[in-house]
Amino acid sequence: MRNLRNIRYSTWKSSVDLDGDAITSACWDPAKDEVLCTFGPTERDGRIRLVRVSEHVRPSSLDIEYQEVAAWDAPSPNPDLAVDRVISSHHFSDTLTTCLVLKGGDIVIIQESEGLNPQDGVHIEIVGSIDEGITAAGWSPDEELLAIATNANTVVFMSRSFDGITDMAMTADDLKASKHVSVGWGKKETQFQGRGAKALRDPTIPEKVDQGVLSPNDDGSTIISWRGDGAYVAINSIETGIRRVIRVYSRDGILDSVSEPVDGMEGALSWRPAGNLMASIQRLEDRVDVIFFERNGLRHGQFSLRAPRDRTLAKDQIWLEWNSDSTVLAVGLDDRVQLWTMGNYHWYLKQEILTRSRPLCLTWHPEKPLRFTSAVSGKLLLAEYIFEVTRGSLTPPYDYGAVAVIDGETLKLTPFRTANVPPPMALFELQASSPIIDVAFSPANTFMAVLHQLGVDLYEWKIRGQRSLIPSLIGSVAFARDDPDQECMPLQIAVTENSVVHCLGFERGPVIQSRPFDRSTGEFSSNSSIYAGSMFGFVRLTQAGSTDVLVQDCLGRLHGVADQQDELYSTRLPSQLPWCEVIDLAGNVIAVGLSRNGHLYANSRLLLKNCTSFLVTPAHLVVTTSNHMIKFIHLVDVDSLQVPPDDPENDERCRSIERGARLVTAMPTNMSLVLQMPRGNLETIYPRAMVVAGIRKLIDAKDYGKAYSYCRSQRVDMNILYDHRPQQFLTNVGLFLDQLGDVSYIDLFLSSLRDEDVTQTMYRDTKGVRTQEPPEVPSNEAIVGGTQSSPKVNTICDAVLSHLQSRKAKDHGTLQNIITANVCKVPPAYEDGLLVIATLMQEDEQLAEKAVEHICFLADVNVLYDEALGLYHLDLALLVAQQSQRDPREYLPFIQNLHRLPEIRRKFAIDDYLSRHKKALSHLQSIPAHKEAQDYTVKHALYTTALKLYRYDQPNLTALTGLYASYLESKSRFREAGLTYESLNDYIAATRCYRAAGTSCWRECLFTAQQQSPPLGSDALADLAATLAEALYEAKDYASAAAIHLDHLDSLENAIPCLCKGYLFADAMRLVAQRGRPELLSTAVDLGLADALSSSTEFFADCKAQLRAQVPRIIELRRKAAEDPLGFYEGERAGGADNIPDDVSVAASSRISTSASLFTRYTGKGGSIGTAGTGVSRATSRNRKREEKKRARGRKGTVYEEEYLVNSVRRLVDRVQATIPDVERLVFGLARRGMHERARTLEGLAAEVVEGCRIAIKEVFVAAGEKKKQGAEEERNENGGIGGGGQEGEWRPMGADAVLLDNLEAAWRKQEPPVITGLERLSLLGS
């Protein structure tokens, strides 16, 4: 679908200094992008002149300059050859050497100097000579071998230094080298022709076998052509008296194969650089074919050349030349050069360049595939082409998908929105009066201009509805041909919406001609032209209706030439970019250009480095990349253009495509894109980015019907119809339903709803934030898309129901949609849907049956059966049951039994069957059946419901309360059971339950024990109190134990030790004074003070020793880890410190490791280096459990020691902080009892430990706060972006490795340090 379009054309004629001699050869200097050509020798002048021709790009012109490199006499060394002739020229850029091979046998090299003037120090040398004379020569593509064919029918291989490598004789025996066997595949005689045809002849024998008869026009020439990789060389020559034959030699000079005999084959030969085919010419009676051979010499297809209209090809001497990337085959005729390409097994004539005289040769640039030079007598043509798809407008509604393909005089035109016709066929074919050069569409696809060699044809695009018709010719203009020498060479064409045709051509320089077309008269106005300078091509405009005409020059600048005035634009590209389009975004002009090496620019900003093709739609810049991806870039200002990553799974803007696919056209109206594969076939795709963008646009326009159809056909989640514009949808529910129309479409939409905002998940708008917010929802509702239930589905269903129910006439479709809306709610409103059917049963039973069928299709019929029973509508339940797979013997007797029961008893039976026990209990209470209700309550544990129902029925309430108390006691809920028994005045059972409840209910237990009737004995009451006091003492509730001893057992002697045990010395002294027992101060209080002093002193001594041991060890471990992390985490390494890398990381970096890592020390053999599979075998749960035990122990010398010690210090500080209030009370009590020295000693020890804790906090938890902030910052960085996902898919270790990683990333490293308050010291003690 691509055409060849000229982007540079210039000519150079030999000046008077060169005496107007004809150019005899030409070759490229790829390093300087210059041409070296030779003049002479001639009969008049036997000298050879080597001239260097170069192009110079200037802001206002493209100039060609030449410089003579060398000139020397070249007399013919062969007396049979009157004038010598250059048959091969080649330039070596690395040594500035040009090699000429002459027909007389001389091989000449001309070495230029490296100075500015190539004539200075030029060295000319004849490096060798072949006495027999040379018929053909050719350098290998790697410039290492020179193949020469001589007049003695020999082949000589020479090296770069012109040393002979080998020589071979070409004899008739060579024809026996290949034994070709043709089985006639694809021939007419091998096809099925009926039953009798096989009996008539042998199909494997062709009707005619070529004998290799020579063509009458054969000039007897010999041609040499190398394969692209330089491994083989082919020589086309005449075997005297036999036939013309192509010999294939290997690089070592070994004959590989010869071609099969072909009648009429001539001397042209060109081996396709890709290596699969060799092209030659076969002249037949009625036509001339280009034929192809494989390397083994067998034929492999052909195509016929097209003769000009005014003559035949009978006398033409034809030559062939492939370009460097094997895409274009140049065919030289006597007065023109044809450029052919192949696609989908069809050969297209893409360009025909008129030369008026026979072109001597055509030389392709070795590095720029579509750049060539051609020598025509005294003139040198320099031209460059590009492959470009000629497409129409991509702006809706003019995006007809029009693509024009040039094939000689035929224009193949296909509007892909009307018909997807694969090439080489086309929907329309238009004929021109001469070979077509270029085609252009107006920005809105109103006009199409066809440029051919004789003039311009203007067509008008026709449409009927949505279908494109064949364009109609509305005007033509022919080029004036008064002076053949000053004839303009047409190159490109452009047409505007106001029917002005602009033609870029070349006379003495590039010119742009403008021809307005008058639609009223059907005639073109007079021609006006301007000098084009260095402008080389029209730029495509994407804005429909534009009348501007832009041209790009060789410096990347843009010029406006619409009014035949050169207006320079401020927007420009960094350099000449052959493929260019200009976008106008509300006055913001962006020029998008693609270079030959795949660099895509937006103005001067580089977007991509691996782009292969691009096109521009109103919403996207669509590109394909060499990574076989198609990407969609949202059109915004240049600085905000964002290229999506290669992530087709998660980003709708990126999609994988077939290798080598190129963009052909796009149709935003159809949301489709057409791609062409390398072999030529087309593929139409519907990219998610285009589809979703189109659906959004349709929703904004309230075209819900078309948006729904695209969602349905392209499998787009239909939630987008609501989520994109929620408030607009709710406001236009009626419009939405009317546009959908079809009942099944509405059902499909409702059934597709789910509580997720798809515009924030799967169809997140990658261009920007939506301008419209979703509707407000009540604060007590969950957020849309959250983890809890969302009101979104119910909101939509309620809106649809409200509109449907407001209709006066409700047909079957409306009722069906109402049922669907109820069933699709979250949770499903089955009852509402069934009530609709129940109402319908009274009006139209047949319609009700259809409604039941529909609701059973939407939901589980068993659930619907239960819901129908729950409505107590037995007829409806029977109707639903008939739609299920239930056995009638199962449900019919059940329903019949229900019919026989009274109404309330029937409701009880139904609710009991449906396990709606609370509702069934209420029916029993209504019957009334109180005894049955009590049994039902006990059976199903419905005590709370029963107590609520019988709240005002005291006798039954009392019975139910007793049952509930027994139930609570059986479930070990003793506190609630005691309260329930107490409410029934059953103090014995209440006491039993309170006592079983434990120490928390000792007050309630003693109360109910004293309320029993008959009263509890004093001994039993004392035993109960003593038991409770002992339990409280064991539970360390010393104050409560002392209260029982004092109030219920009247034992001050036992109460005082309890208070002292709880450090309540002030209360103990108060009670001693209150009861008048001063002797207890020395026997009980002082003893309690001494015990408390002993335990506190021992505690603080242990804490002091622990701090002295653990804090220095933690500091030492951290110092070792900082100085040598590898040695600390992995252990000793062989080779000492010299082998320790400087980029050690303690984090796992790969799931499968093939070398030792920081984790191997703890997961297996520390010294071994396992394979990729051993890491997997170690990742077991057993190893993990073992490693977790090691971590919990924190053994000295392991990586877990620091964590263990830090946690130990934290626990110590917390214990000291909790002990400070008790120590303060103890010191105060010692001072009150006159034990000042003991109090002073304890206070000093406690203060020393508190100060040690403060120092430990500063040293052990020195950077806890900073680490926590740093960790939070790192987490934000890793999870950066919308939706996070920074760590998604990251490998995490398993087994023992995971335990070590958990330790390295443990939360204890980031926890806040513990807090220690100061000890309040007594001034009385003088400390």
Side-chain angles (χ1 to χ4, degrees), residues 255 486 617 632 722 803 811 835 1027 1206:
L255 181 64
Q486 301 298 326
T617 68
F632 294 82
Y722 170 83
H803 188 274
D811 55 2
L835 287 174
T1027 302
V1206 170

Side-chain angles (χ1 to χ4, degrees), residues 372-423:
F372 68 85
T373 180
S374 180
V376 183
S377 63
K379 182 171 65 174
L380 188 69
L381 302 181
L382 296 171
E384 185 173 4
Y385 288 81
I386 59 171
F387 278 113
E388 186 176 45
V389 177
T390 304
R391 63 176 71 93
S393 174
L394 305 184
T395 303
Y398 314 112
D399 54 335
Y400 309 123
V403 176
V405 179
I406 297 174
D407 188 8
E409 297 180 359
T410 304
L411 183 66
K412 298 177 180 290
L413 191 62
T414 301
F416 283 96
R417 209 169 93 185
T418 300
N420 197 340
V421 180

Side-chain angles (χ1 to χ4, degrees), residues 282-322:
Q282 181 185 21
R283 193 179 298 272
L284 301 175
E285 295 180 357
D286 56 344
R287 69 181 189 275
V288 177
D289 288 350
V290 176
I291 59 175
F292 299 103
F293 292 89
E294 299 177 8
R295 197 195 80 192
N296 58 11
L298 292 177
R299 287 278 300 272
H300 190 100
Q302 69 280 323
F303 70 91
S304 297
L305 294 177
R306 301 174 193 174
R309 287 194 173 189
D310 54 350
R311 66 181 184 85
T312 65
L313 301 178
K315 302 299 182 180
D316 287 54
Q317 295 296 326
I318 303 174
W319 48 259
L320 305 173
E321 194 69 37
W322 284 101

Side-chain angles (χ1 to χ4, degrees), residues 150 480 738 810:
T150 69
D738 293 339
K810 296 184 178 62

Side-chain angles (χ1 to χ4, degrees), residues 307-503:
R309 287 194 173 189
D310 54 350
R311 66 181 184 85
T312 65
L313 301 178
K315 302 299 182 180
D316 287 54
Q317 295 296 326
I318 303 174
W319 48 259
L320 305 173
E321 194 69 37
W322 284 101
N323 71 329
S324 60
D325 66 352
S326 306
T327 55
V328 178
L329 177 63
V331 180
L333 305 180
D334 282 352
D335 60 347
R336 67 195 66 204
V337 175
Q338 294 181 342
L339 302 182
W340 293 79
T341 65
M342 193 268 285
N344 224 18
Y345 305 102
H346 176 78
W347 284 91
Y348 297 87
L349 176 55
K350 289 299 182 182
Q351 286 288 338
E352 191 169 281
I353 305 169
L354 290 177
T355 59
R356 301 303 176 188
S357 59
R358 186 176 186 273
L360 175 68
C361 65
L362 183 143
T363 305
W364 292 100
H365 196 289
E367 295 178 0
K368 298 179 180 179
L370 298 178
R371 181 162 168 75
F372 68 85
T373 180
S374 180
V376 183
S377 63
K379 182 171 65 174
L380 188 69
L381 302 181
L382 296 171
E384 185 173 4
Y385 288 81
I386 59 171
F387 278 113
E388 186 176 45
V389 177
T390 304
R391 63 176 71 93
S393 174
L394 305 184
T395 303
Y398 314 112
D399 54 335
Y400 309 123
V403 176
V405 179
I406 297 174
D407 188 8
E409 297 180 359
T410 304
L411 183 66
K412 298 177 180 290
L413 191 62
T414 301
F416 283 96
R417 209 169 93 185
T418 300
N420 197 340
V421 180
M425 298 179 291
L427 186 62
F428 308 126
E429 289 192 0
L430 305 177
Q431 292 295 325
S433 57
S434 62
I436 299 174
I437 299 173
D438 194 22
V439 183
F441 293 89
S442 64
N445 228 108
T446 307
F447 302 102
M448 179 182 71
V450 179
L451 174 66
H452 52 88
Q453 292 177 352
L454 300 181
V456 177
D457 296 337
L458 185 63
Y459 291 84
E460 184 178 14
W461 196 269
K462 297 287 188 178
I463 59 172
R464 180 184 298 165
Q466 295 296 322
R467 294 183 59 85
S468 297
L469 304 179
I470 185 169
S472 60
L473 181 64
I474 59 175
S476 297
V477 61
F479 294 141
R481 299 186 178 275
D482 300 333
D483 186 2
D485 294 334
Q486 301 298 326
E487 184 177 343
C488 178
M489 176 67 180
L491 301 175
Q492 289 189 22
I493 196 168
V495 59
T496 62
E497 279 303 310
N498 55 357
S499 66
V500 179
V501 176
H502 300 266
C503 179

Side-chain angles (χ1 to χ4, degrees), residues 772-841:
Q772 183 174 347
E773 297 295 329
E776 295 183 0
V777 297
S779 58
N780 59 346
E781 298 288 351
I783 300 175
V784 172
T787 56
Q788 300 178 358
S789 179
S790 162
K792 168 190 161 182
V793 176
N794 293 349
T795 301
I796 299 174
C797 290
D798 289 340
V800 172
L801 283 171
S802 175
H803 188 274
L804 293 176
Q805 291 171 352
S806 64
R807 294 180 177 177
K808 297 181 179 179
K810 296 184 178 62
D811 55 2
H812 170 65
T814 303
L815 294 172
Q816 178 175 316
N817 293 148
I818 291 174
I819 293 172
T820 303
N822 282 300
V823 173
C824 290
K825 286 187 177 182
V826 180
Y830 294 128
E831 290 188 4
D832 295 339
L834 291 171
L835 287 174
V836 173
I837 299 175
T839 305
L840 193 60
M841 290 177 64

Side-chain angles (χ1 to χ4, degrees), residues 661-677:
R662 298 289 189 273
L663 292 166
V664 175
T665 188
M667 290 160 283
T669 300
N670 288 358
M671 307 175 194
S672 61
L673 201 65
V674 180
L675 299 170
Q676 186 169 28
M677 305 303 114

